[in-house]
Amino acid sequence: MIGNFFGFLSNDIGIDLGTANTLVFVRDRGIVLREPSVVARYKTSKKVCAVGADAKRMLGRTPGTIEALRPMKDGVIADFEISEAMLRYFIEKVDKRKLVPPRVVIAVPSGITAVEKRAVKDSAIRAGAREVLLLGEPMAASIGAGLPIDEEYANMIVDIGGGTTEVAIISISGVSYQRSIRVGGDELDESIIAYMKRAYGLLIGERTAEEIKFTVGSAAPLDTGEMTMDVRGRDATAGLPKTIHITSQEIREEALKEVVTQIVELVKNALDRCQPEHSADLIDRGIVLAGGGALIRGLDQVISDATGLTVIQADDPLCCVANGTGKFLDLLGTLSREQVDRLVTQ
Protein backbone atom coordinates (compact mmCIF):
# COMPACT_ATOMS: atom_id res chain seq x y z
CA MET A 1 0.00 0.00 0.00
CA ILE A 2 2.82 2.39 0.92
CA GLY A 3 4.69 1.41 -2.27
CA ASN A 4 1.61 2.24 -4.37
CA PHE A 5 1.28 5.57 -2.57
CA PHE A 6 4.90 6.51 -3.32
CA GLY A 7 4.43 5.33 -6.91
CA PHE A 8 1.56 7.80 -7.25
CA LEU A 9 3.69 10.62 -5.89
CA SER A 10 6.79 9.90 -7.99
CA ASN A 11 7.89 8.36 -11.27
CA ASP A 12 10.15 5.35 -11.56
CA ILE A 13 12.68 6.17 -14.29
CA GLY A 14 15.03 4.05 -16.37
CA ILE A 15 17.96 5.76 -18.07
CA ASP A 16 20.21 4.56 -20.86
CA LEU A 17 23.05 6.98 -20.17
CA GLY A 18 24.92 6.57 -23.44
CA THR A 19 28.05 8.17 -24.80
CA ALA A 20 26.18 9.43 -27.87
CA ASN A 21 22.54 9.59 -26.73
CA THR A 22 20.55 9.42 -23.51
CA LEU A 23 17.16 7.69 -23.48
CA VAL A 24 14.75 7.96 -20.56
CA PHE A 25 12.00 5.44 -19.82
CA VAL A 26 9.20 6.40 -17.44
CA ARG A 27 7.20 3.58 -15.92
CA ASP A 28 3.71 3.24 -17.45
CA ARG A 29 4.64 5.75 -20.16
CA GLY A 30 7.52 4.12 -22.06
CA ILE A 31 10.42 6.01 -23.62
CA VAL A 32 9.60 9.69 -23.26
CA LEU A 33 12.96 11.27 -24.03
CA ARG A 34 15.73 10.56 -26.54
CA GLU A 35 18.37 13.26 -26.82
CA PRO A 36 22.10 13.53 -27.53
CA SER A 37 24.43 13.35 -24.52
CA VAL A 38 25.76 16.86 -25.13
CA VAL A 39 25.90 19.95 -22.90
CA ALA A 40 26.73 23.50 -23.98
CA ARG A 41 27.99 26.02 -21.43
CA TYR A 42 29.55 29.46 -21.25
CA LYS A 43 33.35 29.20 -20.97
CA THR A 44 33.77 31.97 -18.42
CA SER A 45 30.90 31.44 -15.99
CA LYS A 46 30.58 27.65 -16.63
CA LYS A 47 26.80 28.15 -16.66
CA VAL A 48 24.91 25.62 -18.79
CA CYS A 49 23.09 27.22 -21.72
CA ALA A 50 21.77 24.16 -23.60
CA VAL A 51 21.40 20.40 -23.13
CA GLY A 52 20.60 17.55 -25.51
CA ALA A 53 19.44 18.27 -29.05
CA ASP A 54 19.86 22.04 -28.65
CA ALA A 55 23.45 21.55 -27.50
CA LYS A 56 24.30 19.06 -30.26
CA ARG A 57 23.32 21.60 -32.90
CA MET A 58 26.14 23.74 -31.50
CA LEU A 59 28.86 21.07 -31.93
CA GLY A 60 31.59 22.54 -34.13
CA ARG A 61 29.65 25.79 -34.51
CA THR A 62 29.87 27.51 -31.14
CA PRO A 63 31.04 31.10 -30.78
CA GLY A 64 34.20 31.76 -28.78
CA THR A 65 32.24 32.27 -25.55
CA ILE A 66 30.47 28.87 -25.59
CA GLU A 67 31.75 25.28 -25.57
CA ALA A 68 29.74 22.18 -26.46
CA LEU A 69 30.86 19.12 -24.48
CA ARG A 70 30.17 15.40 -24.30
CA PRO A 71 30.27 14.54 -20.57
CA MET A 72 30.27 10.79 -21.29
CA LYS A 73 33.29 8.95 -22.67
CA ASP A 74 33.40 5.22 -23.41
CA GLY A 75 30.03 4.81 -21.71
CA VAL A 76 31.08 6.33 -18.38
CA ILE A 77 31.20 9.77 -16.82
CA ALA A 78 34.19 11.81 -17.94
CA ASP A 79 33.02 15.14 -16.50
CA PHE A 80 31.21 14.83 -13.17
CA GLU A 81 29.83 18.38 -13.02
CA ILE A 82 28.53 18.45 -16.59
CA SER A 83 27.02 14.95 -16.28
CA GLU A 84 25.15 16.03 -13.16
CA ALA A 85 23.73 19.06 -14.98
CA MET A 86 22.67 16.87 -17.89
CA LEU A 87 21.01 14.27 -15.65
CA ARG A 88 19.21 16.96 -13.67
CA TYR A 89 17.87 18.48 -16.89
CA PHE A 90 16.60 15.13 -18.20
CA ILE A 91 15.10 14.01 -14.85
CA GLU A 92 13.31 17.33 -14.32
CA LYS A 93 12.04 17.27 -17.90
CA VAL A 94 10.28 13.92 -17.46
CA ASP A 95 9.41 14.10 -13.73
CA LYS A 96 7.46 17.35 -13.53
CA ARG A 97 5.09 18.08 -10.64
CA LYS A 98 5.95 14.96 -8.63
CA LEU A 99 6.19 15.29 -4.85
CA VAL A 100 8.71 12.51 -4.20
CA PRO A 101 12.08 12.22 -6.02
CA PRO A 102 12.11 9.31 -8.48
CA ARG A 103 13.74 5.92 -8.14
CA VAL A 104 16.16 5.59 -11.06
CA VAL A 105 17.62 2.56 -12.83
CA ILE A 106 20.67 3.44 -14.93
CA ALA A 107 22.25 1.10 -17.48
CA VAL A 108 26.07 1.07 -17.30
CA PRO A 109 28.82 -0.80 -19.21
CA SER A 110 29.82 -4.16 -17.78
CA GLY A 111 33.47 -3.09 -17.63
CA ILE A 112 32.78 -0.07 -15.41
CA THR A 113 35.06 0.36 -12.38
CA ALA A 114 33.95 0.85 -8.77
CA VAL A 115 34.98 4.51 -8.94
CA GLU A 116 32.97 5.01 -12.14
CA LYS A 117 29.93 3.31 -10.58
CA ARG A 118 30.13 5.70 -7.63
CA ALA A 119 30.38 8.66 -10.00
CA VAL A 120 27.20 7.58 -11.83
CA LYS A 121 25.28 7.03 -8.58
CA ASP A 122 26.43 10.29 -7.01
CA SER A 123 25.58 12.28 -10.14
CA ALA A 124 22.05 10.82 -10.25
CA ILE A 125 21.44 11.41 -6.52
CA ARG A 126 22.66 15.00 -6.77
CA ALA A 127 20.50 15.44 -9.87
CA GLY A 128 17.37 14.54 -7.89
CA ALA A 129 17.01 10.73 -7.64
CA ARG A 130 15.99 9.25 -4.28
CA GLU A 131 17.43 5.80 -5.07
CA VAL A 132 19.74 4.59 -7.84
CA LEU A 133 20.16 1.03 -9.13
CA LEU A 134 22.79 0.18 -11.75
CA LEU A 135 21.94 -2.43 -14.38
CA GLY A 136 24.63 -3.81 -16.69
CA GLU A 137 24.02 -2.81 -20.30
CA PRO A 138 24.17 -6.39 -21.65
CA MET A 139 21.51 -7.48 -19.16
CA ALA A 140 19.38 -4.40 -19.90
CA ALA A 141 19.72 -4.99 -23.65
CA SER A 142 18.78 -8.67 -23.25
CA ILE A 143 15.67 -7.79 -21.24
CA GLY A 144 14.76 -5.03 -23.70
CA ALA A 145 15.22 -7.36 -26.68
CA GLY A 146 12.78 -9.81 -25.12
CA LEU A 147 15.28 -12.65 -24.60
CA PRO A 148 14.17 -15.33 -22.13
CA ILE A 149 16.92 -14.59 -19.62
CA ASP A 150 15.37 -16.73 -16.85
CA GLU A 151 15.66 -19.98 -18.84
CA GLU A 152 18.54 -22.38 -18.35
CA TYR A 153 19.38 -22.16 -22.05
CA ALA A 154 22.03 -19.62 -23.07
CA ASN A 155 21.34 -16.40 -24.96
CA MET A 156 24.05 -14.19 -26.44
CA ILE A 157 23.70 -10.43 -26.80
CA VAL A 158 26.10 -8.02 -28.54
CA ASP A 159 25.33 -4.41 -27.65
CA ILE A 160 27.22 -1.87 -29.79
CA GLY A 161 26.83 1.59 -28.31
CA GLY A 162 28.50 4.92 -28.91
CA GLY A 163 31.45 4.35 -26.57
CA THR A 164 31.52 0.62 -25.86
CA THR A 165 30.73 -2.75 -27.37
CA GLU A 166 29.45 -5.33 -24.90
CA VAL A 167 29.08 -9.05 -25.37
CA ALA A 168 27.40 -11.30 -22.83
CA ILE A 169 26.12 -14.85 -22.54
CA ILE A 170 23.13 -14.99 -20.21
CA SER A 171 21.16 -17.85 -18.67
CA ILE A 172 19.09 -18.42 -15.52
CA SER A 173 18.87 -14.63 -14.97
CA GLY A 174 22.63 -14.40 -14.60
CA VAL A 175 25.66 -13.56 -16.70
CA SER A 176 27.77 -16.59 -17.57
CA TYR A 177 30.34 -14.58 -19.53
CA GLN A 178 30.72 -10.92 -20.42
CA ARG A 179 33.35 -8.66 -21.89
CA SER A 180 33.40 -5.01 -22.86
CA ILE A 181 35.74 -3.07 -25.12
CA ARG A 182 35.77 0.71 -25.32
CA VAL A 183 35.08 0.71 -29.04
CA GLY A 184 31.77 1.70 -30.60
CA GLY A 185 30.01 4.20 -32.83
CA ASP A 186 32.27 7.08 -31.77
CA GLU A 187 35.33 5.08 -32.80
CA LEU A 188 33.76 4.52 -36.21
CA ASP A 189 33.22 8.28 -36.54
CA GLU A 190 36.81 9.01 -35.53
CA SER A 191 38.07 6.50 -38.10
CA ILE A 192 36.08 8.25 -40.81
CA ILE A 193 37.45 11.66 -39.76
CA ALA A 194 41.02 10.31 -39.85
CA TYR A 195 40.50 8.68 -43.25
CA MET A 196 39.07 11.81 -44.84
CA LYS A 197 42.08 13.81 -43.65
CA ARG A 198 44.57 11.13 -44.69
CA ALA A 199 43.12 10.37 -48.12
CA TYR A 200 41.77 13.74 -49.21
CA GLY A 201 43.28 16.35 -46.91
CA LEU A 202 39.70 17.18 -45.90
CA LEU A 203 38.84 18.24 -42.37
CA ILE A 204 35.36 17.27 -41.21
CA GLY A 205 33.57 17.29 -37.85
CA GLU A 206 31.72 14.69 -35.79
CA ARG A 207 28.32 15.43 -37.31
CA THR A 208 29.59 15.00 -40.87
CA ALA A 209 31.39 11.76 -39.95
CA GLU A 210 28.18 10.40 -38.41
CA GLU A 211 26.26 11.34 -41.56
CA ILE A 212 28.80 9.48 -43.72
CA LYS A 213 28.57 6.41 -41.44
CA PHE A 214 24.82 6.09 -41.74
CA THR A 215 24.52 7.22 -45.37
CA VAL A 216 27.19 5.07 -47.06
CA GLY A 217 28.83 3.12 -44.22
CA SER A 218 28.73 -0.69 -44.31
CA ALA A 219 30.57 -3.69 -42.90
CA ALA A 220 30.06 -5.92 -45.95
CA PRO A 221 29.66 -5.39 -49.72
CA LEU A 222 26.16 -4.18 -50.57
CA ASP A 223 23.84 -6.46 -52.55
CA THR A 224 22.14 -3.44 -54.11
CA GLY A 225 25.40 -1.93 -55.37
CA GLU A 226 27.81 0.55 -53.86
CA MET A 227 26.55 3.99 -52.84
CA THR A 228 28.15 7.40 -53.18
CA MET A 229 27.83 10.82 -51.58
CA ASP A 230 29.39 14.27 -51.64
CA VAL A 231 31.20 15.43 -48.51
CA ARG A 232 31.88 19.05 -47.65
CA GLY A 233 34.61 20.21 -45.32
CA ARG A 234 37.73 22.36 -45.13
CA ASP A 235 40.87 21.76 -47.14
CA ALA A 236 43.66 21.02 -44.64
CA THR A 237 46.28 22.76 -46.79
CA ALA A 238 44.50 25.72 -48.39
CA GLY A 239 42.10 26.30 -45.50
CA LEU A 240 39.21 26.80 -47.95
CA PRO A 241 35.85 25.00 -48.25
CA LYS A 242 36.09 21.86 -50.33
CA THR A 243 33.75 19.15 -51.65
CA ILE A 244 34.83 15.61 -52.50
CA HIS A 245 33.02 12.49 -53.77
CA ILE A 246 33.26 9.22 -51.81
CA THR A 247 31.95 5.66 -52.18
CA SER A 248 30.64 3.14 -49.68
CA GLN A 249 33.40 0.70 -50.70
CA GLU A 250 36.25 2.99 -49.67
CA ILE A 251 34.58 3.92 -46.38
CA ARG A 252 34.06 0.22 -45.63
CA GLU A 253 37.55 -0.94 -46.58
CA GLU A 254 39.66 2.05 -45.54
CA ALA A 255 37.78 3.68 -42.64
CA LEU A 256 35.55 1.14 -40.88
CA LYS A 257 37.28 -2.20 -41.39
CA GLU A 258 39.64 -2.04 -38.39
CA VAL A 259 36.89 -1.19 -35.89
CA VAL A 260 34.53 -3.81 -37.33
CA THR A 261 37.32 -6.39 -37.00
CA GLN A 262 37.72 -5.55 -33.30
CA ILE A 263 33.99 -6.12 -32.74
CA VAL A 264 34.09 -9.45 -34.61
CA GLU A 265 37.11 -10.59 -32.57
CA LEU A 266 35.30 -9.72 -29.33
CA VAL A 267 32.40 -11.98 -30.35
CA LYS A 268 34.71 -14.83 -31.41
CA ASN A 269 36.62 -14.65 -28.12
CA ALA A 270 33.34 -14.86 -26.19
CA LEU A 271 32.35 -17.98 -28.09
CA ASP A 272 35.79 -19.48 -27.50
CA ARG A 273 35.42 -19.02 -23.73
CA CYS A 274 31.79 -20.00 -23.16
CA GLN A 275 30.73 -23.30 -21.61
CA PRO A 276 30.26 -26.26 -24.00
CA GLU A 277 26.56 -26.59 -23.15
CA HIS A 278 26.07 -22.91 -23.90
CA SER A 279 27.82 -23.35 -27.24
CA ALA A 280 25.27 -26.01 -28.11
CA ASP A 281 22.42 -23.65 -27.13
CA LEU A 282 23.78 -20.85 -29.31
CA ILE A 283 23.78 -23.07 -32.40
CA ASP A 284 19.99 -23.07 -32.11
CA ARG A 285 19.48 -19.56 -30.72
CA GLY A 286 22.14 -17.57 -32.50
CA ILE A 287 23.38 -14.09 -31.57
CA VAL A 288 21.27 -10.95 -31.06
CA LEU A 289 22.63 -7.51 -31.99
CA ALA A 290 21.48 -4.38 -30.14
CA GLY A 291 22.56 -0.74 -29.91
CA GLY A 292 23.05 1.89 -32.58
CA GLY A 293 26.02 0.01 -34.07
CA ALA A 294 23.68 -2.86 -34.97
CA LEU A 295 22.29 -0.58 -37.70
CA ILE A 296 25.57 -0.64 -39.67
CA ARG A 297 24.72 -2.35 -42.95
CA GLY A 298 26.04 -5.87 -43.27
CA LEU A 299 27.43 -6.16 -39.74
CA ASP A 300 25.13 -9.08 -38.96
CA GLN A 301 26.39 -10.90 -42.05
CA VAL A 302 30.05 -10.28 -41.22
CA ILE A 303 29.61 -11.67 -37.68
CA SER A 304 27.61 -14.63 -39.01
CA ASP A 305 30.31 -15.47 -41.57
CA ALA A 306 33.01 -15.28 -38.87
CA THR A 307 31.18 -17.43 -36.31
CA GLY A 308 28.97 -19.75 -38.34
CA LEU A 309 25.97 -18.75 -36.22
CA THR A 310 22.73 -17.03 -37.10
CA VAL A 311 22.88 -13.33 -36.22
CA ILE A 312 19.65 -11.42 -35.64
CA GLN A 313 19.15 -7.69 -35.24
CA ALA A 314 16.89 -6.92 -32.28
CA ASP A 315 13.64 -5.07 -32.86
CA ASP A 316 14.36 -1.36 -32.37
CA PRO A 317 18.02 -1.90 -31.42
CA LEU A 318 18.52 1.76 -30.45
CA CYS A 319 15.96 1.42 -27.66
CA CYS A 320 16.80 -2.06 -26.34
CA VAL A 321 18.78 -0.86 -23.32
CA ALA A 322 16.25 1.84 -22.36
CA ASN A 323 13.34 -0.59 -22.76
CA GLY A 324 15.28 -3.08 -20.65
CA THR A 325 15.56 -0.61 -17.76
CA GLY A 326 11.81 -0.04 -18.02
CA LYS A 327 10.96 -3.74 -17.98
CA PHE A 328 13.32 -4.17 -15.03
CA LEU A 329 11.37 -1.49 -13.15
CA ASP A 330 8.21 -3.53 -13.74
CA LEU A 331 9.96 -6.65 -12.40
CA LEU A 332 11.19 -5.00 -9.19
CA GLY A 333 7.90 -5.52 -7.39
CA THR A 334 7.91 -9.25 -8.14
CA LEU A 335 11.57 -10.10 -7.51
CA SER A 336 13.18 -11.12 -4.23
CA ARG A 337 16.16 -9.19 -2.85
CA GLU A 338 18.45 -12.03 -3.95
CA GLN A 339 17.09 -11.95 -7.50
CA VAL A 340 17.55 -8.19 -7.71
CA ASP A 341 21.12 -8.54 -6.46
CA ARG A 342 21.87 -11.06 -9.21
CA LEU A 343 20.64 -8.70 -11.90
CA VAL A 344 22.03 -5.35 -10.77
CA THR A 345 25.66 -4.28 -10.71
CA GLN A 346 26.95 -3.61 -7.20
Side-chain angles (χ1 to χ4, degrees):
M1 187 72 179
I2 294 176
N4 291 336
F5 176 71
F6 276 100
F8 175 75
L9 294 178
S10 69
N11 286 320
D12 285 340
I13 296 175
I15 300 178
D16 174 10
L17 190 61
T19 304
N21 297 287
T22 295
L23 285 73
V24 179
F25 186 108
V26 176
R27 192 172 182 181
D28 298 327
R29 292 168 57 194
I31 295 175
V32 297
L33 184 145
R34 184 187 313 186
E35 294 202 32
S37 302
V38 183
V39 176
R41 68 179 181 183
Y42 296 105
K43 289 183 178 179
T44 304
S45 66
K46 305 302 182 184
K47 182 180 178 181
V48 172
C49 59
V51 178
D54 291 338
K56 185 175 182 180
R57 283 191 284 270
M58 298 182 183
L59 277 175
R61 293 175 174 165
T62 56
T65 56
I66 296 175
E67 55 185 354
L69 307 168
R70 293 182 179 274
M72 307 295 296
K73 182 173 176 59
D74 300 329
V76 296
I77 289 176
D79 189 309
F80 187 90
E81 185 178 341
I82 294 299
S83 297
E84 182 184 322
M86 184 176 73
L87 276 170
R88 177 176 288 106
Y89 172 84
F90 290 147
I91 289 173
E92 289 178 352
K93 191 170 183 178
V94 303
D95 193 50
K96 296 175 180 177
R97 297 186 299 276
K98 288 293 183 176
L99 301 179
V100 176
R103 174 172 54 179
V104 177
V105 173
I106 301 179
V108 295
S110 59
I112 190 172
T113 66
V115 172
E116 289 165 341
K117 290 175 187 176
R118 174 52 56 190
V120 173
K121 283 190 172 184
D122 287 349
S123 289
I125 292 292
R126 289 165 64 93
R130 80 173 187 272
E131 179 187 3
V132 180
L133 296 174
L134 302 183
L135 185 64
E137 284 180 4
M139 182 62 76
S142 298
I143 296 171
L147 297 182
I149 63 168
D150 56 338
E151 293 184 358
E152 67 271 23
Y153 302 104
N155 295 279
M156 186 171 184
I157 188 86
V158 179
D159 177 32
I160 308 166
T164 59
T165 296
E166 314 256 353
V167 60
I169 298 172
I170 295 171
S171 66
I172 321 179
S173 299
V175 177
S176 169
Y177 174 92
Q178 66 181 13
R179 282 293 180 274
S180 171
I181 57 173
R182 298 198 172 187
V183 169
D186 286 353
E187 191 82 10
L188 292 170
D189 295 344
E190 290 169 10
S191 296
I192 291 171
I193 291 171
Y195 170 70
M196 298 303 290
K197 182 179 180 181
R198 182 176 70 249
Y200 296 103
L202 187 73
L203 303 180
I204 61 172
E206 295 176 21
R207 294 178 62 188
T208 301
E210 188 176 41
E211 182 183 357
I212 292 171
K213 178 176 66 179
F214 287 115
T215 303
V216 299
S218 67
L222 304 173
D223 295 334
T224 55
E226 300 298 341
M227 298 178 292
T228 63
M229 72 176 288
D230 290 331
V231 179
R232 297 176 177 85
R234 177 164 62 87
D235 189 295
T237 304
L240 299 173
K242 179 181 177 181
T243 301
I244 58 102
H245 194 69
I246 61 171
T247 68
S248 55
Q249 180 178 358
E250 65 177 301
I251 295 300
R252 177 176 64 251
E253 297 178 356
E254 303 294 336
L256 303 183
K257 186 175 182 179
E258 183 178 346
V259 178
V260 169
T261 299
Q262 291 182 61
I263 294 171
V264 171
E265 286 302 311
L266 177 69
V267 175
K268 289 171 65 178
N269 287 338
L271 292 171
D272 184 50
R273 288 167 171 76
C274 75
Q275 300 174 31
E277 292 298 331
H278 288 168
S279 294
D281 295 338
L282 295 176
I283 291 174
D284 296 326
R285 298 193 168 215
I287 300 169
V288 177
L289 297 184
L295 299 175
I296 298 294
R297 298 177 187 85
L299 183 59
D300 53 348
Q301 187 59 51
V302 169
I303 295 176
S304 180
D305 291 344
T307 62
L309 298 177
T310 301
V311 179
I312 305 163
Q313 186 184 104
D315 293 335
D316 199 2
L318 283 167
C319 296
C320 274
V321 172
N323 284 328
T325 63
K327 291 180 180 179
F328 178 71
L329 284 168
D330 289 335
L331 289 172
L332 279 178
T334 64
L335 298 176
S336 67
R337 184 72 253 179
E338 291 76 15
Q339 289 173 311
V340 172
D341 288 342
R342 288 181 63 190
L343 290 170
V344 300
T345 245
Q346 300 298 327

